[in-house]
Amino acid sequence: MESKRQQKFAGVLQEELAAIFQREGAAYLPNTLVTITKVRVSPDLAVAKVYLSFLNTNNTTLSVAEVNAHSSEIRYKLGARIRHQARVVPTLTFFVDDTNEYVEHMDKLFDKISKERKETDEEAE
């Protein structure tokens, strides 16, 4: 369970990182829209796990690797933006947020189940 302090700081990080990716995201991943879906911060606020969602990309693993390769540059830009709000700029680690893929998978399963039920109902009649 995250404390209020962690949640508040995570919100600030999410907002500022979103602005960075909106303005300069094309330098890291051209023709790809990056969304920061979630930020988790350690209790000492020194480490941040940033979950990203990608639109218009074929390989999300490669995209995350590319963003992680630029993490020190992104951290520097983040530090310039939050220098008056935080004492320490957290170390950033980026991960793929596969929630959308999971939702699509579950939708397909539910569709399959409903089709099977319709077929068994039609056979019973």
Side-chain angles (χ1 to χ4, degrees):
M1 184 72 186
E2 288 185 330
S3 68
K4 291 278 187 196
R5 182 173 173 229
Q6 287 172 283
Q7 292 173 356
K8 196 172 185 180
F9 190 58
V12 169
L13 292 179
Q14 185 172 359
E15 198 174 302
E16 296 299 335
L17 285 169
I20 290 170
F21 276 102
Q22 186 178 17
R23 288 189 179 89
E24 303 165 23
Y28 313 123
L29 298 167
N31 301 324
T32 302
L33 179 66
V34 180
T35 306
I36 289 91
T37 56
K38 188 174 13 176
V39 177
R40 298 274 186 221
V41 184
S42 65
D44 63 353
L45 307 181
V47 178
K49 293 181 180 179
V50 183
Y51 294 88
L52 305 174
S53 176
F54 298 98
L55 198 67
N56 208 17
T57 185
N58 295 329
N59 191 345
T60 56
T61 309
L62 187 65
S63 299
V64 166
E66 185 67 29
V67 172
N68 272 318
H70 293 283
S71 66
S72 60
E73 180 182 342
I74 296 167
R75 182 175 182 238
Y76 176 79
K77 290 176 182 179
L78 177 67
R81 296 177 71 95
I82 67 168
R83 68 178 180 262
H84 299 297
Q85 300 172 27
R87 273 189 277 147
V88 177
V89 180
T91 304
L92 303 173
T93 309
F94 297 96
F95 299 94
V96 176
D97 183 13
D98 56 358
T99 307
N100 289 340
E101 295 170 12
Y102 179 74
V103 169
E104 288 176 15
H105 176 69
M106 295 306 290
D107 283 342
K108 288 178 184 176
L109 288 176
F110 288 132
D111 288 343
K112 184 179 176 184
I113 291 169
S114 67
K115 285 180 185 177
E116 289 174 358
R117 282 191 178 165
K118 285 181 184 177
E119 288 174 1
T120 55
D121 288 345
E122 290 173 1
E123 289 174 5
E125 291 176 0

